[in-house]
């Protein structure tokens, strides 16, 4: 391990090094060295001044998680955000990237190239701490499909494939190209390899501003160094002077030296911001020098960590409590020359001629997005046993049991009740089990949310892709169990009747899946989603017209409107019409009519509305499928727009008292045409 006293890096700023008396060393090629020419023509300069972030809670009704932070990030440089767990690293990164939650309030200025403007698609990218990936895809497929979605249609397929493979090789994943990512129940990549796949996906567009949240988590020291060195060397490969900001937990000495500047946080306060090479001198002058042969980053984190009691007997930090050490460092930084230099640096960056980011429309077209998402989703559904195949097996088993229970149903008077029960079970409980694919859809939604936040594609393309890819599987699930359930008991003969039976079963399954999509957009996890979805379906079954006839339902709410909203109403009535119309059942009752027609059964027994055909019931079911999918799309888009508006209203109400305001772009939204939302203070 490198000694703390020999860890000066050539990436430091000369004027700030001079503030600590650090010897100026020639910078690396491509590193900014002067106050002028603050950002290159194609670079992105980011500044933040007096940045506060508060969340609800605490004794005063709110709690500050970031307190008065000031700093900058320039093209061609790597900024490390470091600190103990819970110090605000990810919060600072989310704030700079415009990803704060709607309940979070922010104050201060965040400027891009000296002005408030949009983080345009293709200009910035964010690698999250959680690796949300489609587990059934191989590394090559995951990156290649992402390249097809992100890169413009003007780039040929061969060039997209070449870029994807080159990016995979740069991240050291060449040997795992054909390995599936893997997840629950399927072994695949390690956690560190998944992290590198996430990085590959986000650097495909060669963004000028790159945010990385814990990019080395799950990696060993060697892999951490190679990954970070490749990220640092991206500037040299394509000539784009990138601004890279990374939160990092505990880098090795080699990784630490790759960064130009260090932002050290503790409890949301700035302990130090400046060149990596000047940090040792700052701690030494403050009275907390780094011991010889110790990793500087380890020393910094140990010094400002107050989560664990220090062993004062060993003389750590001269026996001073951690809280007091942090206060000393914060005050020393505020009164230091380096702090004044940072203030001047921020002011001079902001005084530069404010240059708007070029609007980047270079993403795949809508039809390309639909095609790629349909293909990718189809492969995922095909390979994920829990999505449809396990459900198909259970459906077939249930269909066999159902056909056995109702075998040779016959045409007797007693068969009327048997037919009713069979139809009710098919329309209610077989379709009810469609919620079994909800966990797999939730995992797909996580991938969608990550890609949506980074502007890879729009909501409409996702909904269309998911719908089209599911059609063949749902058709298979409806056809095979439907055939067993229909023919073995001996239901109404005729291929038209069988076709209607299968189509209705198919429409009901589509409806249940569409309903669960709506639930997934509003419920945070799959366990609560399954409970909510099951409750909604249980209510629909109850008011659908089987357990209680429509005429007997209480009119407020249960009949108007729930009875007419429940899709089971149209499934029951359509299947009853399909089964009983045209049939005649003998009656052995003395003195009565010799037979009973199917139409009479429908009217007298089930109060079926005979004014329209069974095909109208099927058409209503299919229309409800379209409506549910459209509602899902509207909810996603409305949530993206309403949350920032609600946050803004909350902030306005508290502005006089707390002098804070909400970040209207708490989530970087992209419309269908990928228009970004401006990052504001």
């Amino acid at each position: 391990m490198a000694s703390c006293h020999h860890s000066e890096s050539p990436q430091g700023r000369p004027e700030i090094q001079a503030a600590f008396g650090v010897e100026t060393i020639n910078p690396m090629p491509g590193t900014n060295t002067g106050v002028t020419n603050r950002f290159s023509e194609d670079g992105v300069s980011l500044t933040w001044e007096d940045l506060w972030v508060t969340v609800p809670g605490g004794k005063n009704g709110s709690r500050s998680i970031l307190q008065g932070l000031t700093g900058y990030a320039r093209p061609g440089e790597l900024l490390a955000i470091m600190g103990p767990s819970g110090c605000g690293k990810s919060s600072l990164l989310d704030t700079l990237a415009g990803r704060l939650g709607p309940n979070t309030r922010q104050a201060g200025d965040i400027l891009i190239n000296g002005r408030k403007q949009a983080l345009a698609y293709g200009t910035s990218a964010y690698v999250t701490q959680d690796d949300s990936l489609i587990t059934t895809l191989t590394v090559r497929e995951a990156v290649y499909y992402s390249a097809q979605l992100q890169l413009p249609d003007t780039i040929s397929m061969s060039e997209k494939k070449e870029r994807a493979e080159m990016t995979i090789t740069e991240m050291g994943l060449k040997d795992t190209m054909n390995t599936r990512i893997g997840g629950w129940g399927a072994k695949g990549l390690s956690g560190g390899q998944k992290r590198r796949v996430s990085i590959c996906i986000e650097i495909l567009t060669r963004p000028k501003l790159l945010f990385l949240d814990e990019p080395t988590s799950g990696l060993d020291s060697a892999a951490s160094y190679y990954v970070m060195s490749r990220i640092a060397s991206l500037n040299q490969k394509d000539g784009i002077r990138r601004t890279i900001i990374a939160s990092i937990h505990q880098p090795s000495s080699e990784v630490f030296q790759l960064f130009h500047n260090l932002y050290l946080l503790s409890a949301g306060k700035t302990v130090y911001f400046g060149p990596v090479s000047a940090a040792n001198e700052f701690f030494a002058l403050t009275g907390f020098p780094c011991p010889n042969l110790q990793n500087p980053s380890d020393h910094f984190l140990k010094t400002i960590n107050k989560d664990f009691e220090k062993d004062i007997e060993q003389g750590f930090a001269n026996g001073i409590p951690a809280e007091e050490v942090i206060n000393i460092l914060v005050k020393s930084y505020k009164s230091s020359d380096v702090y004044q230099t940072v203030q001047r640096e921020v002011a001079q960056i902001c005084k530069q001629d404010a240059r708007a980011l070029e609007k980047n429309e270079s993403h795949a077209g809508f039809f390309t997005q639909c095609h790629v998402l349909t293909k990718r989703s189809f492969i995922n559904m095909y390979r994920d046993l829990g999505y449809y195949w396990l459900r198909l097996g259970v459906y077939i088993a249930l269909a066999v049991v159902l056909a056995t229970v109702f075998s040779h149903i016959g045409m007797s008077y007693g068969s009327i009740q048997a037919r009713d029960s069979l139809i009710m079970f098919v329309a209610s409980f077989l379709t009810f089990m469609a919620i079994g694919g909800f966990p797999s859809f939730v995992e797909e939604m996580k991938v969608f949310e990550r890609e949506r936040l980074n502007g890879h594609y729009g909501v409409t393309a996702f909904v269309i892709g998911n719908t089209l890819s599911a059609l063949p599987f749902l058709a298979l699930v409806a056809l095979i169990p439907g055939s067993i359930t229909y023919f073995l008991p001996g239901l109404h003969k005729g291929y038209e009747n069988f076709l209607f039976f299968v189509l209705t079963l198919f429409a009901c399954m589509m409806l249940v899946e569409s309903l669960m999509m709506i639930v997934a957009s509003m419920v945070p996890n799959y366990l609560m989603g399954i409970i909510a979805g099951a409750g909604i379906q249980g209510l629909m079954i109850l008011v659908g017209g089987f357990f209680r006839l429509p005429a007997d339902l209480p009119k407020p709410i249960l009949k108007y409107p729930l009875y007419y909203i429940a899709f089971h109403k149209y499934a029951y009535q359509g299947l009853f019409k399909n089964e009983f119309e045209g049939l005649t059942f003998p009656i052995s009752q003395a003195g009565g009519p010799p037979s009973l027609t199917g139409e009479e059964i429908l009217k007298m027994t089930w109060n079926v509305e005979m004014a329209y055909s069974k095909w109208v019931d099927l058409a209503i079911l299919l229309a409800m499928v379209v409506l549910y999918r459209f509602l899902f799309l509207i909810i996603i888009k409305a949530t993206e727009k309403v949350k920032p508006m609600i946050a803004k209203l909350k902030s306005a109400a508290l502005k006089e008292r707390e002098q804070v305001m909400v970040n209207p772009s708490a989530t970087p939204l992209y419309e269908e045409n990928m228009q970004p939302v401006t990052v504001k203070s």
Side-chain angles (χ1 to χ4, degrees):
M1 184 177 292
S3 168
C4 281
H5 296 302
H6 296 84
S7 60
E8 281 80 2
S9 168
Q11 290 92 329
R13 295 277 300 170
E15 60 270 31
I16 301 180
Q17 289 174 338
F20 288 123
V22 179
E23 182 182 355
T24 302
I25 305 174
N26 291 330
M28 293 174 63
T31 303
N32 290 330
T33 59
V35 177
T36 58
N37 191 23
R38 196 65 67 231
F39 44 81
S40 61
E41 245 180 62
D42 59 349
V44 175
S45 182
L46 185 66
T47 62
W48 57 99
E49 191 170 5
D50 195 23
L51 190 61
W52 289 76
V53 173
T54 59
V55 294
K59 296 180 180 179
N60 300 322
S62 62
R63 180 172 58 90
S64 297
I65 54 177
L66 297 180
Q67 305 179 38
L69 307 188
T70 298
Y72 59 85
R74 291 178 304 228
E77 295 186 356
L78 277 73
L79 170 62
I81 302 174
M82 284 180 53
S85 297
C87 71
K89 298 188 299 294
S90 296
S91 297
L92 176 56
L93 202 67
D94 290 342
T95 305
L96 298 178
R99 293 196 174 204
L100 286 179
N103 293 326
T104 307
R105 296 189 296 276
Q106 173 193 323
D109 294 322
I110 301 177
L111 303 179
I112 302 172
N113 287 350
R115 62 187 291 175
K116 295 178 183 178
Q117 57 181 312
L119 286 175
Y121 169 75
T123 300
S124 67
Y126 191 113
V127 180
T128 58
Q129 191 170 347
D130 298 325
D131 299 312
S132 299
L133 301 166
I134 298 179
T135 58
T136 57
L137 299 181
T138 65
V139 173
R140 188 197 304 270
E141 290 170 340
V143 180
Y144 181 46
Y145 283 135
S146 187
Q148 292 182 65
L149 289 169
Q150 296 186 68
L151 300 178
D153 293 334
T154 53
I155 299 179
S156 66
M157 298 297 287
S158 60
E159 290 176 316
K160 291 180 181 180
K161 187 174 183 180
E162 182 181 356
R163 181 179 291 193
E165 293 183 354
M166 181 180 66
T167 306
I168 292 171
T169 303
E170 287 176 354
M171 286 293 111
L173 294 169
K174 185 176 181 180
D175 294 337
T176 60
M177 274 192 181
N178 298 315
T179 303
R180 291 189 186 180
I181 293 169
W184 61 274
K187 189 176 180 180
L189 302 180
S190 66
Q193 289 171 325
K194 290 179 183 178
R195 171 47 49 91
R196 283 183 272 170
V197 174
S198 298
I199 296 173
C200 284
I201 289 172
E202 298 306 332
I203 65 175
L204 281 169
T205 57
R206 303 296 187 254
K208 299 173 185 177
L209 179 59
L210 181 61
F211 299 96
L212 303 118
D213 193 4
E214 302 280 3
T216 59
S217 63
L219 303 178
D220 56 46
S221 58
S224 298
Y225 172 75
Y226 287 122
V227 168
M228 290 307 303
S229 63
R230 280 169 169 79
I231 292 173
S233 65
L234 288 176
N235 297 339
Q236 302 170 7
K237 292 182 179 296
D238 53 20
I240 299 175
R241 295 169 61 78
R242 285 183 182 79
T243 304
I244 302 175
I245 305 174
S247 66
I248 192 161
H249 190 61
Q250 191 173 14
S252 65
S253 56
E254 289 180 313
V255 171
F256 189 60
Q257 295 306 312
L258 292 173
F259 292 96
H260 299 80
N261 291 323
L262 169 66
Y263 208 117
L264 201 56
L265 289 172
S266 182
K269 300 176 182 177
T270 304
V271 174
Y272 171 81
F273 172 61
V276 168
S277 56
N280 281 332
E281 190 71 15
F282 169 75
F283 273 77
L285 293 175
T286 312
F288 308 103
C290 176
N292 289 325
L293 303 178
Q294 184 173 342
N295 185 348
S297 63
D298 290 342
H299 172 69
F300 301 154
L301 294 176
K302 188 163 60 174
T303 303
I304 62 175
N305 193 326
K306 61 179 182 179
D307 293 337
F308 303 95
E309 290 295 330
K310 304 295 191 304
D311 190 349
I312 299 179
E313 292 182 359
Q314 293 183 358
F316 181 82
N318 301 321
I320 304 174
E323 189 76 38
E324 190 174 340
V325 170
I326 294 169
N327 290 333
I328 291 172
L329 288 168
V330 170
K331 291 178 182 177
S332 298
Y333 172 71
K334 289 285 187 180
S335 61
S336 67
D337 291 338
V338 69
Y339 177 70
Q340 301 302 323
T341 307
V342 169
Q343 294 277 17
R344 291 193 298 270
E345 188 79 7
V346 171
Q348 287 190 298
I349 291 175
C350 296
K351 286 179 183 177
Q352 296 284 332
D353 293 334
R355 179 172 51 82
L357 292 176
E358 293 183 6
K359 193 175 178 180
N360 192 343
E361 297 290 346
S362 58
H363 56 269
F366 176 74
F367 293 106
T368 301
Q369 292 176 9
C370 293
H371 172 72
V372 174
L373 289 172
T374 301
K375 186 177 180 181
R376 188 178 73 172
S377 183
F378 180 87
I379 292 175
N380 179 43
M381 293 173 180
Y382 178 78
R383 294 177 181 173
D384 187 351
L385 296 179
Y387 218 128
Y388 286 110
W389 297 119
L390 182 60
R391 208 188 318 172
L392 176 61
V394 173
Y395 269 53
I396 291 174
L398 275 176
V400 170
V401 174
L402 197 61
T404 304
V405 170
F406 293 96
S407 60
H408 306 297
I409 202 168
M411 294 295 296
S412 65
Y413 181 79
S415 71
I416 297 174
Q417 182 181 356
R419 293 171 191 271
D420 294 338
S421 301
L422 175 59
I423 289 172
M424 180 270 172
F425 189 92
V426 170
S428 299
F429 296 108
L430 276 187
T431 58
F432 186 93
M433 291 175 55
I435 66 175
F438 184 71
S440 296
F441 177 73
V442 168
E443 294 301 314
E444 195 169 350
M445 277 290 292
K446 291 179 181 178
V447 177
F448 161 71
E449 289 169 0
R450 172 183 61 79
E451 295 176 330
R452 172 69 175 159
L453 284 172
N454 282 322
H456 293 184
Y457 48 83
V459 182
T460 305
F462 171 75
V463 174
I464 292 175
N466 181 271
T467 302
L468 294 179
S469 59
L471 291 179
F473 296 101
L474 287 172
L476 193 65
V477 172
L479 180 61
I480 297 177
S483 301
I484 297 172
T485 305
Y486 195 87
F487 287 113
L488 291 185
L491 294 179
H492 196 151
K493 295 181 180 180
Y495 286 104
E496 178 188 323
N497 298 80
F498 169 68
L499 177 63
F500 182 88
F501 182 86
V502 171
L503 287 176
T504 302
L505 184 58
F506 170 80
C508 289
M509 290 181 181
M510 281 285 289
L511 270 168
V512 174
E513 290 211 341
S514 303
L515 174 65
M516 296 310 293
M517 289 175 72
I518 295 174
V519 171
S521 66
M522 298 186 291
V523 178
N525 60 67
Y526 75 88
L527 182 60
M528 292 179 63
I530 289 177
I531 294 172
I536 293 171
Q537 285 197 76
L539 181 62
M540 288 184 174
I541 292 172
L542 195 60
V543 301
F546 180 86
F547 294 99
R548 190 73 168 164
L549 292 178
D552 299 328
L553 284 173
K555 291 185 178 180
I557 301 177
L558 292 183
K559 185 171 183 179
Y560 304 106
L562 288 183
Y563 170 68
Y564 292 96
I565 293 176
F567 71 87
H568 295 82
K569 167 191 183 300
Y570 308 100
Y572 291 154
Q573 297 209 4
L575 289 174
F576 283 154
K577 292 175 186 177
N578 184 64
E579 180 60 27
F580 287 102
E581 284 182 338
L583 295 183
T584 302
F585 299 90
I587 299 178
S588 57
Q589 186 177 0
S595 62
L596 190 65
T597 65
E599 287 76 6
E600 292 173 332
I601 295 171
L602 293 174
K603 292 178 183 178
M604 295 185 298
T605 306
W606 295 113
N607 297 158
V608 173
E609 300 170 12
M610 301 297 293
Y612 55 86
S613 165
K614 64 183 180 181
W615 296 102
V616 175
D617 290 302
L618 179 59
I620 293 173
L621 289 174
L622 294 174
M624 291 179 74
V625 171
V626 177
L627 176 63
Y628 279 23
R629 299 271 166 160
F630 184 71
L631 279 177
F632 170 72
L633 187 150
I634 294 299
I635 290 171
I636 293 293
K637 294 178 73 66
T639 301
E640 292 176 343
K641 293 181 180 297
V642 170
K643 279 185 177 180
M645 293 172 62
I646 294 174
K648 191 174 182 179
L649 291 174
K650 287 181 180 179
S651 177
L654 296 171
K655 188 174 182 180
E656 292 182 2
R657 188 177 65 184
E658 300 184 3
Q659 294 299 313
V660 294
M661 67 174 293
V662 171
N663 178 11
S665 58
T667 305
L669 311 176
Y670 294 83
E671 301 296 336
E672 288 303 301
N673 58 0
M674 298 299 177
Q675 297 294 328
V677 173
T678 305
V679 174
K680 300 178 181 177
S681 59

